[in-house]
PDB file of all heavy atoms in Angstrom:
ATOM      1  N   TYR A   1      13.262 -25.450  -8.135  1.00 89.00           N
ATOM      2  CA  TYR A   1      14.005 -24.171  -8.127  1.00 89.00           C
ATOM      3  C   TYR A   1      15.309 -24.258  -9.077  1.00 89.00           C
ATOM      4  O   TYR A   1      15.785 -25.311  -9.286  1.00 89.00           O
ATOM      5  CB  TYR A   1      14.442 -23.798  -6.781  1.00 89.00           C
ATOM      6  CG  TYR A   1      13.347 -23.678  -5.807  1.00 89.00           C
ATOM      7  CD1 TYR A   1      13.117 -24.750  -4.757  1.00 89.00           C
ATOM      8  CD2 TYR A   1      12.451 -22.556  -5.810  1.00 89.00           C
ATOM      9  CE1 TYR A   1      12.036 -24.691  -3.942  1.00 89.00           C
ATOM     10  CE2 TYR A   1      11.394 -22.473  -4.888  1.00 89.00           C
ATOM     11  CZ  TYR A   1      11.196 -23.499  -4.039  1.00 89.00           C
ATOM     12  OH  TYR A   1      10.148 -23.400  -3.099  1.00 89.00           O
ATOM     13  N   VAL A   2      15.735 -23.073  -9.469  1.00 87.00           N
ATOM     14  CA  VAL A   2      16.999 -23.059 -10.205  1.00 87.00           C
ATOM     15  C   VAL A   2      18.217 -22.422  -9.390  1.00 87.00           C
ATOM     16  O   VAL A   2      19.187 -22.628  -9.599  1.00 87.00           O
ATOM     17  CB  VAL A   2      16.810 -22.464 -11.546  1.00 87.00           C
ATOM     18  CG1 VAL A   2      16.670 -20.929 -11.379  1.00 87.00           C
ATOM     19  CG2 VAL A   2      17.976 -22.702 -12.473  1.00 87.00           C
ATOM     20  N   ALA A   3      17.699 -21.657  -8.380  1.00 87.00           N
ATOM     21  CA  ALA A   3      18.664 -20.982  -7.463  1.00 87.00           C
ATOM     22  C   ALA A   3      18.080 -20.553  -6.192  1.00 87.00           C
ATOM     23  O   ALA A   3      16.963 -19.985  -6.203  1.00 87.00           O
ATOM     24  CB  ALA A   3      19.367 -19.870  -8.202  1.00 87.00           C
ATOM     25  N   GLY A   4      18.697 -20.846  -5.153  1.00 86.00           N
ATOM     26  CA  GLY A   4      18.404 -20.095  -3.763  1.00 86.00           C
ATOM     27  C   GLY A   4      16.939 -20.466  -3.262  1.00 86.00           C
ATOM     28  O   GLY A   4      16.496 -19.796  -2.409  1.00 86.00           O
ATOM     29  N   THR A   5      16.268 -21.452  -3.807  1.00 87.00           N
ATOM     30  CA  THR A   5      14.969 -21.894  -3.305  1.00 87.00           C
ATOM     31  C   THR A   5      14.064 -20.740  -3.459  1.00 87.00           C
ATOM     32  O   THR A   5      12.996 -20.564  -2.706  1.00 87.00           O
ATOM     33  CB  THR A   5      14.830 -22.495  -1.987  1.00 87.00           C
ATOM     34  OG1 THR A   5      15.206 -21.635  -1.058  1.00 87.00           O
ATOM     35  CG2 THR A   5      15.825 -23.636  -1.898  1.00 87.00           C
ATOM     36  N   TYR A   6      14.242 -19.834  -4.422  1.00 91.00           N
ATOM     37  CA  TYR A   6      13.244 -18.683  -4.678  1.00 91.00           C
ATOM     38  C   TYR A   6      12.955 -18.309  -6.032  1.00 91.00           C
ATOM     39  O   TYR A   6      11.915 -17.806  -6.439  1.00 91.00           O
ATOM     40  CB  TYR A   6      13.608 -17.445  -3.925  1.00 91.00           C
ATOM     41  CG  TYR A   6      14.769 -16.559  -4.659  1.00 91.00           C
ATOM     42  CD1 TYR A   6      14.487 -15.465  -5.474  1.00 91.00           C
ATOM     43  CD2 TYR A   6      16.161 -16.894  -4.393  1.00 91.00           C
ATOM     44  CE1 TYR A   6      15.466 -14.885  -6.094  1.00 91.00           C
ATOM     45  CE2 TYR A   6      17.223 -16.247  -4.948  1.00 91.00           C
ATOM     46  CZ  TYR A   6      16.808 -15.129  -5.767  1.00 91.00           C
ATOM     47  OH  TYR A   6      17.826 -14.359  -6.378  1.00 91.00           O
ATOM     48  N   ILE A   7      13.833 -18.896  -6.985  1.00 92.00           N
ATOM     49  CA  ILE A   7      13.593 -18.656  -8.475  1.00 92.00           C
ATOM     50  C   ILE A   7      13.177 -20.147  -8.973  1.00 92.00           C
ATOM     51  O   ILE A   7      14.013 -21.130  -8.932  1.00 92.00           O
ATOM     52  CB  ILE A   7      14.763 -18.206  -9.208  1.00 92.00           C
ATOM     53  CG1 ILE A   7      15.220 -16.890  -8.644  1.00 92.00           C
ATOM     54  CG2 ILE A   7      14.494 -18.045 -10.725  1.00 92.00           C
ATOM     55  CD1 ILE A   7      16.428 -16.318  -9.337  1.00 92.00           C
ATOM     56  N   TYR A   8      12.043 -20.257  -9.448  1.00 92.00           N
ATOM     57  CA  TYR A   8      11.595 -21.428 -10.057  1.00 92.00           C
ATOM     58  C   TYR A   8      12.384 -21.714 -11.427  1.00 92.00           C
ATOM     59  O   TYR A   8      12.924 -20.719 -12.046  1.00 92.00           O
ATOM     60  CB  TYR A   8      10.127 -21.417 -10.396  1.00 92.00           C
ATOM     61  CG  TYR A   8       9.140 -21.708  -9.280  1.00 92.00           C
ATOM     62  CD1 TYR A   8       7.916 -21.119  -9.174  1.00 92.00           C
ATOM     63  CD2 TYR A   8       9.572 -22.685  -8.286  1.00 92.00           C
ATOM     64  CE1 TYR A   8       7.053 -21.280  -8.110  1.00 92.00           C
ATOM     65  CE2 TYR A   8       8.648 -22.862  -7.264  1.00 92.00           C
ATOM     66  CZ  TYR A   8       7.420 -22.208  -7.153  1.00 92.00           C
ATOM     67  OH  TYR A   8       6.655 -22.495  -6.128  1.00 92.00           O
ATOM     68  N   SER A   9      12.444 -22.971 -11.797  1.00 88.00           N
ATOM     69  CA  SER A   9      13.251 -23.261 -13.064  1.00 88.00           C
ATOM     70  C   SER A   9      12.519 -22.526 -14.196  1.00 88.00           C
ATOM     71  O   SER A   9      13.388 -22.297 -15.175  1.00 88.00           O
ATOM     72  CB  SER A   9      13.129 -24.739 -13.277  1.00 88.00           C
ATOM     73  OG  SER A   9      13.699 -25.447 -12.207  1.00 88.00           O
ATOM     74  N   ASN A  10      11.283 -22.212 -14.232  1.00 90.00           N
ATOM     75  CA  ASN A  10      10.665 -21.502 -15.256  1.00 90.00           C
ATOM     76  C   ASN A  10      10.939 -19.946 -15.191  1.00 90.00           C
ATOM     77  O   ASN A  10      10.249 -19.167 -15.873  1.00 90.00           O
ATOM     78  CB  ASN A  10       9.254 -21.862 -15.390  1.00 90.00           C
ATOM     79  CG  ASN A  10       8.428 -21.490 -14.222  1.00 90.00           C
ATOM     80  OD1 ASN A  10       8.818 -20.733 -13.308  1.00 90.00           O
ATOM     81  ND2 ASN A  10       7.311 -22.176 -14.016  1.00 90.00           N
ATOM     82  N   GLN A  11      11.910 -19.578 -14.330  1.00 91.00           N
ATOM     83  CA  GLN A  11      12.256 -18.277 -14.044  1.00 91.00           C
ATOM     84  C   GLN A  11      11.303 -17.298 -13.370  1.00 91.00           C
ATOM     85  O   GLN A  11      11.559 -16.062 -13.115  1.00 91.00           O
ATOM     86  CB  GLN A  11      12.577 -17.491 -15.454  1.00 91.00           C
ATOM     87  CG  GLN A  11      13.515 -18.238 -16.416  1.00 91.00           C
ATOM     88  CD  GLN A  11      14.867 -18.403 -15.818  1.00 91.00           C
ATOM     89  OE1 GLN A  11      15.685 -17.500 -15.684  1.00 91.00           O
ATOM     90  NE2 GLN A  11      15.156 -19.665 -15.498  1.00 91.00           N
ATOM     91  N   ILE A  12      10.180 -17.831 -12.775  1.00 93.00           N
ATOM     92  CA  ILE A  12       9.327 -16.987 -11.989  1.00 93.00           C
ATOM     93  C   ILE A  12       9.824 -17.077 -10.505  1.00 93.00           C
ATOM     94  O   ILE A  12      10.136 -18.068 -10.022  1.00 93.00           O
ATOM     95  CB  ILE A  12       7.844 -17.673 -12.014  1.00 93.00           C
ATOM     96  CG1 ILE A  12       7.380 -17.769 -13.550  1.00 93.00           C
ATOM     97  CG2 ILE A  12       6.882 -16.871 -11.209  1.00 93.00           C
ATOM     98  CD1 ILE A  12       7.107 -16.392 -14.135  1.00 93.00           C
ATOM     99  N   ILE A  13       9.728 -15.826  -9.892  1.00 93.00           N
ATOM    100  CA  ILE A  13      10.200 -15.663  -8.572  1.00 93.00           C
ATOM    101  C   ILE A  13       9.103 -16.268  -7.636  1.00 93.00           C
ATOM    102  O   ILE A  13       7.913 -15.670  -7.799  1.00 93.00           O
ATOM    103  CB  ILE A  13      10.544 -14.318  -8.275  1.00 93.00           C
ATOM    104  CG1 ILE A  13      11.838 -13.908  -9.031  1.00 93.00           C
ATOM    105  CG2 ILE A  13      10.778 -14.149  -6.793  1.00 93.00           C
ATOM    106  CD1 ILE A  13      12.237 -12.534  -8.897  1.00 93.00           C
ATOM    107  N   ALA A  14       9.374 -17.152  -6.798  1.00 92.00           N
ATOM    108  CA  ALA A  14       8.438 -17.880  -6.038  1.00 92.00           C
ATOM    109  C   ALA A  14       8.011 -17.271  -4.732  1.00 92.00           C
ATOM    110  O   ALA A  14       7.035 -17.524  -4.047  1.00 92.00           O
ATOM    111  CB  ALA A  14       8.772 -19.343  -5.742  1.00 92.00           C
ATOM    112  N   ARG A  15       8.974 -16.432  -4.096  1.00 92.00           N
ATOM    113  CA  ARG A  15       8.751 -15.983  -2.716  1.00 92.00           C
ATOM    114  C   ARG A  15       9.468 -14.649  -2.585  1.00 92.00           C
ATOM    115  O   ARG A  15      10.368 -14.229  -3.336  1.00 92.00           O
ATOM    116  CB  ARG A  15       9.368 -16.966  -1.761  1.00 92.00           C
ATOM    117  CG  ARG A  15      10.935 -17.234  -1.855  1.00 92.00           C
ATOM    118  CD  ARG A  15      11.384 -18.180  -0.808  1.00 92.00           C
ATOM    119  NE  ARG A  15      11.449 -17.531   0.530  1.00 92.00           N
ATOM    120  CZ  ARG A  15      11.691 -18.163   1.688  1.00 92.00           C
ATOM    121  NH1 ARG A  15      12.115 -19.352   1.493  1.00 92.00           N
ATOM    122  NH2 ARG A  15      11.704 -17.479   2.768  1.00 92.00           N
ATOM    123  N   ASP A  16       9.021 -13.811  -1.618  1.00 93.00           N
ATOM    124  CA  ASP A  16       9.773 -12.582  -1.279  1.00 93.00           C
ATOM    125  C   ASP A  16      11.147 -12.826  -0.624  1.00 93.00           C
ATOM    126  O   ASP A  16      11.231 -13.782   0.177  1.00 93.00           O
ATOM    127  CB  ASP A  16       8.908 -11.878  -0.222  1.00 93.00           C
ATOM    128  CG  ASP A  16       7.565 -11.248  -0.814  1.00 93.00           C
ATOM    129  OD1 ASP A  16       7.505 -11.279  -1.950  1.00 93.00           O
ATOM    130  OD2 ASP A  16       6.667 -11.020  -0.061  1.00 93.00           O
ATOM    131  N   ILE A  17      12.126 -12.012  -1.045  1.00 93.00           N
ATOM    132  CA  ILE A  17      13.451 -12.043  -0.339  1.00 93.00           C
ATOM    133  C   ILE A  17      13.774 -10.605   0.132  1.00 93.00           C
ATOM    134  O   ILE A  17      14.224  -9.826  -0.587  1.00 93.00           O
ATOM    135  CB  ILE A  17      14.493 -12.453  -1.398  1.00 93.00           C
ATOM    136  CG1 ILE A  17      14.129 -13.779  -2.051  1.00 93.00           C
ATOM    137  CG2 ILE A  17      15.874 -12.583  -0.584  1.00 93.00           C
ATOM    138  CD1 ILE A  17      14.064 -14.973  -1.109  1.00 93.00           C
ATOM    139  N   PRO A  18      13.300 -10.289   1.374  1.00 94.00           N
ATOM    140  CA  PRO A  18      13.371  -8.944   1.997  1.00 94.00           C
ATOM    141  C   PRO A  18      14.851  -8.513   1.825  1.00 94.00           C
ATOM    142  O   PRO A  18      15.020  -7.202   1.599  1.00 94.00           O
ATOM    143  CB  PRO A  18      12.901  -9.047   3.370  1.00 94.00           C
ATOM    144  CG  PRO A  18      12.049 -10.229   3.385  1.00 94.00           C
ATOM    145  CD  PRO A  18      12.563 -11.227   2.353  1.00 94.00           C
ATOM    146  N   GLY A  19      15.779  -9.388   1.956  1.00 92.00           N
ATOM    147  CA  GLY A  19      17.140  -8.823   2.123  1.00 92.00           C
ATOM    148  C   GLY A  19      17.782  -8.465   0.815  1.00 92.00           C
ATOM    149  O   GLY A  19      18.792  -7.696   0.582  1.00 92.00           O
ATOM    150  N   LYS A  20      17.038  -8.863  -0.292  1.00 91.00           N
ATOM    151  CA  LYS A  20      17.446  -8.365  -1.628  1.00 91.00           C
ATOM    152  C   LYS A  20      16.407  -7.509  -2.304  1.00 91.00           C
ATOM    153  O   LYS A  20      16.570  -7.043  -3.518  1.00 91.00           O
ATOM    154  CB  LYS A  20      17.580  -9.549  -2.574  1.00 91.00           C
ATOM    155  CG  LYS A  20      18.910 -10.466  -2.277  1.00 91.00           C
ATOM    156  CD  LYS A  20      20.204  -9.691  -2.483  1.00 91.00           C
ATOM    157  CE  LYS A  20      21.378 -10.396  -2.391  1.00 91.00           C
ATOM    158  NZ  LYS A  20      22.591  -9.702  -2.454  1.00 91.00           N
ATOM    159  N   GLY A  21      15.375  -7.076  -1.596  1.00 91.00           N
ATOM    160  CA  GLY A  21      14.262  -6.294  -2.182  1.00 91.00           C
ATOM    161  C   GLY A  21      13.558  -7.006  -3.299  1.00 91.00           C
ATOM    162  O   GLY A  21      13.100  -6.294  -4.159  1.00 91.00           O
ATOM    163  N   ILE A  22      13.489  -8.320  -3.217  1.00 92.00           N
ATOM    164  CA  ILE A  22      12.823  -9.058  -4.259  1.00 92.00           C
ATOM    165  C   ILE A  22      11.359  -9.479  -3.899  1.00 92.00           C
ATOM    166  O   ILE A  22      11.048  -9.821  -2.735  1.00 92.00           O
ATOM    167  CB  ILE A  22      13.712 -10.430  -4.642  1.00 92.00           C
ATOM    168  CG1 ILE A  22      15.102 -10.008  -5.141  1.00 92.00           C
ATOM    169  CG2 ILE A  22      12.865 -11.337  -5.544  1.00 92.00           C
ATOM    170  CD1 ILE A  22      15.981 -11.221  -5.320  1.00 92.00           C
ATOM    171  N   LYS A  23      10.541  -9.314  -4.843  1.00 92.00           N
ATOM    172  CA  LYS A  23       9.083  -9.559  -4.570  1.00 92.00           C
ATOM    173  C   LYS A  23       8.726 -10.839  -5.394  1.00 92.00           C
ATOM    174  O   LYS A  23       9.167 -11.105  -6.438  1.00 92.00           O
ATOM    175  CB  LYS A  23       8.102  -8.391  -4.988  1.00 92.00           C
ATOM    176  CG  LYS A  23       8.552  -7.155  -4.140  1.00 92.00           C
ATOM    177  CD  LYS A  23       8.080  -7.232  -2.823  1.00 92.00           C
ATOM    178  CE  LYS A  23       8.138  -5.944  -1.991  1.00 92.00           C
ATOM    179  NZ  LYS A  23       7.695  -6.166  -0.573  1.00 92.00           N
ATOM    180  N   ALA A  24       7.804 -11.635  -4.698  1.00 93.00           N
ATOM    181  CA  ALA A  24       7.232 -12.915  -5.450  1.00 93.00           C
ATOM    182  C   ALA A  24       6.503 -12.399  -6.600  1.00 93.00           C
ATOM    183  O   ALA A  24       5.707 -11.457  -6.641  1.00 93.00           O
ATOM    184  CB  ALA A  24       6.483 -13.660  -4.287  1.00 93.00           C
ATOM    185  N   GLU A  25       6.589 -13.261  -7.683  1.00 93.00           N
ATOM    186  CA  GLU A  25       5.810 -12.926  -8.895  1.00 93.00           C
ATOM    187  C   GLU A  25       4.618 -13.942  -9.162  1.00 93.00           C
ATOM    188  O   GLU A  25       3.884 -13.825  -9.982  1.00 93.00           O
ATOM    189  CB  GLU A  25       6.719 -12.970 -10.107  1.00 93.00           C
ATOM    190  CG  GLU A  25       7.699 -11.911 -10.068  1.00 93.00           C
ATOM    191  CD  GLU A  25       8.882 -12.115 -11.140  1.00 93.00           C
ATOM    192  OE1 GLU A  25       9.126 -13.109 -11.638  1.00 93.00           O
ATOM    193  OE2 GLU A  25       9.475 -11.090 -11.391  1.00 93.00           O
ATOM    194  N   VAL A  26       4.669 -15.020  -8.395  1.00 94.00           N
ATOM    195  CA  VAL A  26       3.585 -16.026  -8.499  1.00 94.00           C
ATOM    196  C   VAL A  26       2.200 -15.420  -8.370  1.00 94.00           C
ATOM    197  O   VAL A  26       1.229 -15.808  -9.071  1.00 94.00           O
ATOM    198  CB  VAL A  26       3.917 -17.230  -7.481  1.00 94.00           C
ATOM    199  CG1 VAL A  26       2.684 -18.150  -7.306  1.00 94.00           C
ATOM    200  CG2 VAL A  26       5.079 -18.000  -7.721  1.00 94.00           C
ATOM    201  N   PRO A  27       1.967 -14.589  -7.341  1.00 93.00           N
ATOM    202  CA  PRO A  27       0.559 -13.966  -7.221  1.00 93.00           C
ATOM    203  C   PRO A  27       0.148 -13.417  -8.510  1.00 93.00           C
ATOM    204  O   PRO A  27      -1.033 -13.543  -8.915  1.00 93.00           O
ATOM    205  CB  PRO A  27       0.632 -13.072  -6.020  1.00 93.00           C
ATOM    206  CG  PRO A  27       1.799 -13.574  -5.247  1.00 93.00           C
ATOM    207  CD  PRO A  27       2.822 -14.213  -6.207  1.00 93.00           C
ATOM    208  N   ALA A  28       0.929 -12.530  -9.235  1.00 92.00           N
ATOM    209  CA  ALA A  28       0.570 -11.993 -10.412  1.00 92.00           C
ATOM    210  C   ALA A  28       0.314 -12.966 -11.464  1.00 92.00           C
ATOM    211  O   ALA A  28      -0.611 -12.746 -12.271  1.00 92.00           O
ATOM    212  CB  ALA A  28       1.759 -10.990 -10.882  1.00 92.00           C
ATOM    213  N   VAL A  29       1.137 -13.960 -11.591  1.00 94.00           N
ATOM    214  CA  VAL A  29       0.973 -15.058 -12.638  1.00 94.00           C
ATOM    215  C   VAL A  29      -0.466 -15.720 -12.375  1.00 94.00           C
ATOM    216  O   VAL A  29      -1.197 -16.069 -13.280  1.00 94.00           O
ATOM    217  CB  VAL A  29       2.021 -15.981 -12.619  1.00 94.00           C
ATOM    218  CG1 VAL A  29       1.810 -17.245 -13.590  1.00 94.00           C
ATOM    219  CG2 VAL A  29       3.339 -15.245 -13.027  1.00 94.00           C
ATOM    220  N   GLU A  30      -0.700 -16.038 -11.105  1.00 93.00           N
ATOM    221  CA  GLU A  30      -1.801 -16.735 -10.729  1.00 93.00           C
ATOM    222  C   GLU A  30      -3.169 -15.812 -11.001  1.00 93.00           C
ATOM    223  O   GLU A  30      -4.162 -16.449 -11.544  1.00 93.00           O
ATOM    224  CB  GLU A  30      -1.875 -17.153  -9.335  1.00 93.00           C
ATOM    225  CG  GLU A  30      -0.841 -18.276  -9.087  1.00 93.00           C
ATOM    226  CD  GLU A  30      -0.979 -18.802  -7.597  1.00 93.00           C
ATOM    227  OE1 GLU A  30      -1.290 -17.902  -6.720  1.00 93.00           O
ATOM    228  OE2 GLU A  30      -0.495 -19.907  -7.297  1.00 93.00           O
ATOM    229  N   GLU A  31      -2.950 -14.612 -10.880  1.00 92.00           N
ATOM    230  CA  GLU A  31      -4.172 -13.613 -11.025  1.00 92.00           C
ATOM    231  C   GLU A  31      -4.529 -13.492 -12.464  1.00 92.00           C
ATOM    232  O   GLU A  31      -5.538 -13.453 -12.911  1.00 92.00           O
ATOM    233  CB  GLU A  31      -4.089 -12.446 -10.233  1.00 92.00           C
ATOM    234  CG  GLU A  31      -5.219 -11.495 -10.359  1.00 92.00           C
ATOM    235  CD  GLU A  31      -4.968 -10.230  -9.636  1.00 92.00           C
ATOM    236  OE1 GLU A  31      -4.038 -10.062  -8.902  1.00 92.00           O
ATOM    237  OE2 GLU A  31      -5.933  -9.300  -9.726  1.00 92.00           O
ATOM    238  N   HIS A  32      -3.315 -13.148 -13.223  1.00 92.00           N
ATOM    239  CA  HIS A  32      -3.565 -12.567 -14.626  1.00 92.00           C
ATOM    240  C   HIS A  32      -3.091 -13.634 -15.633  1.00 92.00           C
ATOM    241  O   HIS A  32      -3.592 -13.534 -16.847  1.00 92.00           O
ATOM    242  CB  HIS A  32      -2.740 -11.383 -14.746  1.00 92.00           C
ATOM    243  CG  HIS A  32      -3.068 -10.231 -13.802  1.00 92.00           C
ATOM    244  ND1 HIS A  32      -4.204  -9.453 -13.938  1.00 92.00           N
ATOM    245  CD2 HIS A  32      -2.454  -9.763 -12.753  1.00 92.00           C
ATOM    246  CE1 HIS A  32      -4.234  -8.562 -12.861  1.00 92.00           C
ATOM    247  NE2 HIS A  32      -3.156  -8.729 -12.114  1.00 92.00           N
ATOM    248  N   GLY A  33      -2.365 -14.684 -15.397  1.00 93.00           N
ATOM    249  CA  GLY A  33      -1.892 -15.626 -16.357  1.00 93.00           C
ATOM    250  C   GLY A  33      -0.503 -15.213 -16.819  1.00 93.00           C
ATOM    251  O   GLY A  33      -0.184 -14.064 -16.921  1.00 93.00           O
ATOM    252  N   ILE A  34       0.213 -16.204 -17.168  1.00 94.00           N
ATOM    253  CA  ILE A  34       1.678 -15.996 -17.551  1.00 94.00           C
ATOM    254  C   ILE A  34       1.657 -15.228 -18.893  1.00 94.00           C
ATOM    255  O   ILE A  34       2.578 -14.713 -19.245  1.00 94.00           O
ATOM    256  CB  ILE A  34       2.358 -17.283 -17.672  1.00 94.00           C
ATOM    257  CG1 ILE A  34       3.950 -17.066 -17.769  1.00 94.00           C
ATOM    258  CG2 ILE A  34       1.948 -18.256 -18.805  1.00 94.00           C
ATOM    259  CD1 ILE A  34       4.903 -18.288 -17.404  1.00 94.00           C
ATOM    260  N   LEU A  35       0.654 -15.495 -19.655  1.00 94.00           N
ATOM    261  CA  LEU A  35       0.690 -14.854 -21.045  1.00 94.00           C
ATOM    262  C   LEU A  35       0.519 -13.374 -20.912  1.00 94.00           C
ATOM    263  O   LEU A  35       1.244 -12.547 -21.746  1.00 94.00           O
ATOM    264  CB  LEU A  35      -0.468 -15.340 -21.912  1.00 94.00           C
ATOM    265  CG  LEU A  35      -0.514 -16.884 -22.328  1.00 94.00           C
ATOM    266  CD1 LEU A  35      -1.666 -17.236 -23.126  1.00 94.00           C
ATOM    267  CD2 LEU A  35       0.734 -17.125 -23.143  1.00 94.00           C
ATOM    268  N   LYS A  36      -0.216 -12.805 -19.968  1.00 92.00           N
ATOM    269  CA  LYS A  36      -0.503 -11.451 -19.882  1.00 92.00           C
ATOM    270  C   LYS A  36       0.676 -10.822 -19.211  1.00 92.00           C
ATOM    271  O   LYS A  36       0.947  -9.559 -19.456  1.00 92.00           O
ATOM    272  CB  LYS A  36      -1.818 -11.268 -19.146  1.00 92.00           C
ATOM    273  CG  LYS A  36      -2.962 -11.441 -20.061  1.00 92.00           C
ATOM    274  CD  LYS A  36      -4.275 -10.887 -19.373  1.00 92.00           C
ATOM    275  CE  LYS A  36      -5.412 -10.870 -20.255  1.00 92.00           C
ATOM    276  NZ  LYS A  36      -5.863 -12.258 -20.770  1.00 92.00           N
ATOM    277  N   VAL A  37       1.308 -11.385 -18.281  1.00 92.00           N
ATOM    278  CA  VAL A  37       2.382 -10.673 -17.449  1.00 92.00           C
ATOM    279  C   VAL A  37       3.791 -10.902 -18.036  1.00 92.00           C
ATOM    280  O   VAL A  37       4.617 -10.206 -17.659  1.00 92.00           O
ATOM    281  CB  VAL A  37       2.277 -11.163 -16.027  1.00 92.00           C
ATOM    282  CG1 VAL A  37       1.045 -10.995 -15.343  1.00 92.00           C
ATOM    283  CG2 VAL A  37       2.826 -12.590 -15.904  1.00 92.00           C
ATOM    284  N   HIS A  38       3.848 -11.830 -19.007  1.00 92.00           N
ATOM    285  CA  HIS A  38       5.203 -12.020 -19.622  1.00 92.00           C
ATOM    286  C   HIS A  38       5.451 -10.931 -20.618  1.00 92.00           C
ATOM    287  O   HIS A  38       4.653 -10.723 -21.646  1.00 92.00           O
ATOM    288  CB  HIS A  38       5.366 -13.421 -20.286  1.00 92.00           C
ATOM    289  CG  HIS A  38       6.763 -13.851 -20.476  1.00 92.00           C
ATOM    290  ND1 HIS A  38       7.591 -13.084 -21.320  1.00 92.00           N
ATOM    291  CD2 HIS A  38       7.464 -14.839 -20.019  1.00 92.00           C
ATOM    292  CE1 HIS A  38       8.736 -13.790 -21.311  1.00 92.00           C
ATOM    293  NE2 HIS A  38       8.712 -14.825 -20.473  1.00 92.00           N
ATOM    294  N   PRO A  39       6.495 -10.160 -20.598  1.00 90.00           N
ATOM    295  CA  PRO A  39       6.687  -8.974 -21.427  1.00 90.00           C
ATOM    296  C   PRO A  39       6.963  -9.395 -22.900  1.00 90.00           C
ATOM    297  O   PRO A  39       6.990  -8.601 -23.834  1.00 90.00           O
ATOM    298  CB  PRO A  39       7.814  -8.218 -20.814  1.00 90.00           C
ATOM    299  CG  PRO A  39       8.552  -9.234 -19.998  1.00 90.00           C
ATOM    300  CD  PRO A  39       7.651 -10.243 -19.468  1.00 90.00           C
ATOM    301  N   PHE A  40       7.518 -10.620 -23.218  1.00 91.00           N
ATOM    302  CA  PHE A  40       7.867 -11.032 -24.427  1.00 91.00           C
ATOM    303  C   PHE A  40       6.952 -11.905 -25.250  1.00 91.00           C
ATOM    304  O   PHE A  40       7.217 -12.420 -26.271  1.00 91.00           O
ATOM    305  CB  PHE A  40       9.217 -11.701 -24.418  1.00 91.00           C
ATOM    306  CG  PHE A  40      10.329 -10.740 -24.015  1.00 91.00           C
ATOM    307  CD1 PHE A  40      10.753 -10.692 -22.621  1.00 91.00           C
ATOM    308  CD2 PHE A  40      10.926  -9.812 -24.938  1.00 91.00           C
ATOM    309  CE1 PHE A  40      11.754  -9.822 -22.428  1.00 91.00           C
ATOM    310  CE2 PHE A  40      11.934  -9.018 -24.556  1.00 91.00           C
ATOM    311  CZ  PHE A  40      12.247  -8.841 -23.343  1.00 91.00           C
ATOM    312  N   VAL A  41       5.685 -12.028 -24.670  1.00 92.00           N
ATOM    313  CA  VAL A  41       4.543 -12.677 -25.397  1.00 92.00           C
ATOM    314  C   VAL A  41       3.994 -11.771 -26.536  1.00 92.00           C
ATOM    315  O   VAL A  41       3.633 -10.659 -26.203  1.00 92.00           O
ATOM    316  CB  VAL A  41       3.576 -13.162 -24.402  1.00 92.00           C
ATOM    317  CG1 VAL A  41       2.245 -13.777 -25.158  1.00 92.00           C
ATOM    318  CG2 VAL A  41       4.033 -14.281 -23.499  1.00 92.00           C
ATOM    319  N   PRO A  42       3.915 -12.268 -27.717  1.00 91.00           N
ATOM    320  CA  PRO A  42       3.255 -11.379 -28.794  1.00 91.00           C
ATOM    321  C   PRO A  42       1.949 -10.973 -28.471  1.00 91.00           C
ATOM    322  O   PRO A  42       1.141 -11.792 -27.767  1.00 91.00           O
ATOM    323  CB  PRO A  42       3.223 -12.334 -30.105  1.00 91.00           C
ATOM    324  CG  PRO A  42       4.300 -13.354 -29.707  1.00 91.00           C
ATOM    325  CD  PRO A  42       4.365 -13.529 -28.250  1.00 91.00           C
ATOM    326  N   LYS A  43       1.486  -9.775 -28.785  1.00 90.00           N
ATOM    327  CA  LYS A  43       0.288  -9.215 -28.520  1.00 90.00           C
ATOM    328  C   LYS A  43      -0.948 -10.073 -28.829  1.00 90.00           C
ATOM    329  O   LYS A  43      -2.001 -10.142 -28.165  1.00 90.00           O
ATOM    330  CB  LYS A  43      -0.006  -7.869 -29.073  1.00 90.00           C
ATOM    331  CG  LYS A  43       0.975  -6.745 -28.234  1.00 90.00           C
ATOM    332  CD  LYS A  43       0.636  -5.497 -28.819  1.00 90.00           C
ATOM    333  CE  LYS A  43       1.568  -4.247 -28.197  1.00 90.00           C
ATOM    334  NZ  LYS A  43       1.356  -3.010 -28.727  1.00 90.00           N
ATOM    335  N   GLN A  44      -0.890 -10.747 -30.132  1.00 92.00           N
ATOM    336  CA  GLN A  44      -1.995 -11.535 -30.514  1.00 92.00           C
ATOM    337  C   GLN A  44      -2.101 -12.872 -29.711  1.00 92.00           C
ATOM    338  O   GLN A  44      -3.184 -13.467 -29.863  1.00 92.00           O
ATOM    339  CB  GLN A  44      -1.715 -11.867 -31.989  1.00 92.00           C
ATOM    340  CG  GLN A  44      -0.597 -12.732 -32.290  1.00 92.00           C
ATOM    341  CD  GLN A  44       0.641 -12.014 -32.568  1.00 92.00           C
ATOM    342  OE1 GLN A  44       0.795 -10.867 -32.080  1.00 92.00           O
ATOM    343  NE2 GLN A  44       1.640 -12.766 -33.247  1.00 92.00           N
ATOM    344  N   LEU A  45      -1.129 -13.152 -28.803  1.00 93.00           N
ATOM    345  CA  LEU A  45      -1.179 -14.362 -28.051  1.00 93.00           C
ATOM    346  C   LEU A  45      -1.536 -14.051 -26.553  1.00 93.00           C
ATOM    347  O   LEU A  45      -1.476 -14.903 -25.702  1.00 93.00           O
ATOM    348  CB  LEU A  45       0.001 -15.179 -28.197  1.00 93.00           C
ATOM    349  CG  LEU A  45       0.311 -15.773 -29.583  1.00 93.00           C
ATOM    350  CD1 LEU A  45       1.528 -16.558 -29.636  1.00 93.00           C
ATOM    351  CD2 LEU A  45      -0.946 -16.601 -30.165  1.00 93.00           C
TER     352      LEU A  45
END
């Protein structure tokens, strides 16, 4: 983690934090892949 045991060092949110309205992103990365869900990956990649 990089902060609060919920943000991984690679900036992906690892768990839900109800008190902050934060949702885990790991399920989306595992289902679709980091290339597809990352907004700054070039379209050709």
